[in-house]
Amino acid sequence: MLIKRPADIKSSEITPERVYFNRRAFMQGAAAAGSLAATTGLYYLFAGINRRPPSAPGPRPLATVIPSDPALTTEEPPTDYDDITHYNNFYEFSTAKHDVAYESQALVTRPWTVVVGGLVNRPRTFDVDDLIRLFPLEERVYRLRCVEGWSMVIPWVGFPLSGLLKLVEPLGAAQFVAFETLHDPKQFPLQRSRLLDWPYREGLRLDEALHPLTLLAVGLYGKTLPNQNGAPLRLVVPWKYGFKSIKSIVRITVTDRMPRTTWREAAPHEYGFYANVNPQVSHPRWSQATERRIGEFTRRPTLLFNGYADQVASLYAGLDLRKFY
Ligand SMILES: Nc1nc2c(c(=O)[nH]1)N[C@H]1C(S)=C(S)[C@@H](COP(=O)(O)O)O[C@H]1N2
Ligand SMILES: [Mo]
């Protein structure tokens, strides 16, 4: 899958710099030894070991990152960059977490268009870089809790979704916001299968979408998002299970109806629309009482609303949290 390398891409562009220079030094040494055949053989061996799909240049540093409101960021130590970028759920690429980083390298994330419309006064189509320039970028360190029972702490860079929604001016009838991932089976190998009903879709109630914790992330660890984490733009809703945090968004639609959501449609008895983290309500296949923080050995208790109850519990006054898993 995705191992073709077009001839017009130089190996310097698709090989990590360090490996590239080591390889060059090695090649020069070997050539000096005067054995062309051996060198060629070793070159292919080496190239095979380092084989990667063609890729855009990796994550780049992000210019303006303002420290975020201390009330909106955790002091917990962030998970290692390597774990955040090599233990991924991104079913368009692979169902194997450790393969997503590799499989996603060829995703083309520029140019990238985001269509924002529906029940709004000012529908707009943005080039993603223009969109990103409209807002000051903040660092937000959030817990991420996957419904599978693992968690991480991720230093996102992004801007509140509320800023974008205010710009397009939702109409009075607006009640929900729907999100869609890019649909492009040429780029996403598993979109050629019927694993899920593509494109991946998610949704929020409008008040959830306007909450200050709800982020559109464009980076992590001070750099642009790696493809495997949802480049160039993904949602982050830290008090909900990770599947709500939809990646590689191309469409945001304000609506008066509860949006279709991918996992709820795939398995309605397993995944709800709200999907707020709740240690008391078990998933049919996984208890939600505890979680494994990636990089740690023992499990820790899971917190109601993933530890964000003070900020978000009031959104759900009057809602039966057991029923609306
Ligand atoms: N488009 C898309 N978005 C997605 C997913 C996916 O498969 N496709 N997986 C979700 C799940 S289940 C989780 S836990 C998080 C994982 O985000 P991360 O890989 O950045 O940690 O992304 C969510 N967003
Ligand atoms: Mo997940």
Side-chain angles (χ1 to χ4, degrees), residues 138-142 154-162 179 204 208-209 211-219 233-239 245-246 249:
E138 296 176 43
E139 175 158 87
R140 298 276 187 94
V141 187
Y142 284 166
I154 304 185
W156 300 109
V157 178
F159 55 89
L161 172 63
S162 66
F179 305 84
L204 295 172
E208 298 175 324
H211 192 280
L213 280 170
T214 303
L215 201 70
L216 281 174
V218 299
L233 181 80
R234 60 94 55 88
L235 184 68
V236 183
V237 194
W239 71 93
S245 292
I246 180 173
I249 296 169

Side-chain angles (χ1 to χ4, degrees), residues 86-146:
H86 289 84
Y87 191 84
N88 300 103
N89 277 334
F90 201 159
Y91 275 25
E92 286 85 341
F93 288 114
S94 174
T95 56
K97 290 178 182 48
H98 295 283
D99 291 346
V100 172
Y102 177 88
E103 297 290 349
S104 63
Q105 288 317 298
L107 179 67
V108 176
T109 60
R110 294 294 187 289
W112 188 276
T113 303
V114 183
V115 179
V116 188
L119 298 178
V120 298
N121 261 322
R122 301 175 183 278
R124 275 179 73 170
T125 298
F126 297 92
D127 170 76
V128 75
D129 290 313
D130 295 338
L131 176 62
I132 293 169
R133 270 192 292 272
L134 289 176
F135 305 97
L137 298 182
E138 296 176 43
E139 175 158 87
R140 298 276 187 94
V141 187
Y142 284 166
R143 293 176 287 277
L144 174 88
R145 170 63 157 80
C146 175

